[in-house]
């Protein structure tokens, strides 16, 4: 198993970080892994390798977590738009709609994003999140 590669995109002046557990250029859809409140992208290190046969796992860091930029304030709506930006990045990278696998706060973000503006994704898996 190889070490995941850091990926960065910028949105609204904040440098967003993710860990790509696959290989760029693979002919696989991306699955974006969204962590919970007290976590970061490395939380998925033990889970992501189990998805590499069929998907390209990319674990994101939410604002103020892991290697994503920090701010003085964290409006919840910004977290929603960050995930939407990762969805667009994933579509551009693979040419396919991505999947979302979201845990805890990541699930709350994903579900609220659907209420605001449903993202163009293949499917959503939410684990341990209140509806």
């Amino acid at each position: 198993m190889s070490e995941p590669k850091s990926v960065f995109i910028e949105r609204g002046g904040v440098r967003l970080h993710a860990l790509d557990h696959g290989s760029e250029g693979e002919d696989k859809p991306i699955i974006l892994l969204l962590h919970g409140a007290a976590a970061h992208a490395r939380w998925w290190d033990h889970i992501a390798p189990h998805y590499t046969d069929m998907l390209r796992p990319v674990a994101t860091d939410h604002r103020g977590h892991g290697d994503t930029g920090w701010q003085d304030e964290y409006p919840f709506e910004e977290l929603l738009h960050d995930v939407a930006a990762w969805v667009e990045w994933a579509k551009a990278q693979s040419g396919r709609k991505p999947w979302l696998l979201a845990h805890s706060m990541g699930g709350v973000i994903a579900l609220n994003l659907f209420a605001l503006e449903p993202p163009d994704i293949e499917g959503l898996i939410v684990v341990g999140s209140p509806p």
Side-chain angles (χ1 to χ4, degrees):
M1 174 172 56
S2 62
E3 185 69 17
K5 180 183 90 175
S6 285
V7 176
F8 294 93
I9 62 173
E10 186 166 323
R11 198 192 75 70
V14 175
R15 189 175 179 204
L16 305 176
H17 174 259
L19 291 171
D20 190 341
H21 291 264
S23 298
E24 191 172 339
E26 282 183 322
D27 187 27
K28 297 177 185 175
I30 291 174
I31 184 167
L32 294 168
L33 309 173
L34 310 178
H35 64 75
H40 47 78
R42 286 280 180 189
W43 188 86
W44 296 99
D45 281 0
H46 65 289
I47 297 168
H50 298 286
Y51 286 91
T52 57
D53 285 350
M54 297 184 337
L55 301 165
R56 179 177 156 196
V58 176
T60 65
D61 278 324
H62 300 305
R63 290 174 181 247
H65 295 77
D67 292 322
T68 284
W70 291 62
Q71 299 174 255
D72 291 332
E73 296 180 5
Y74 295 93
F76 188 73
E77 191 171 272
E78 293 299 318
L79 298 170
L80 308 182
H81 294 299
D82 290 348
V83 171
W86 280 116
V87 167
E88 292 306 311
W89 171 86
K91 285 174 24 185
Q93 283 288 305
S94 69
R96 298 176 177 193
K97 295 179 184 181
W99 287 82
L100 295 180
L101 172 54
H103 175 253
S104 190
M105 182 185 84
V108 173
I109 293 168
L111 292 171
N112 277 277
L113 178 59
F114 267 87
L116 180 68
E117 183 177 326
D120 191 20
I121 62 172
E122 191 65 37
L124 169 64
I125 305 161
V126 177
V127 180
S129 299

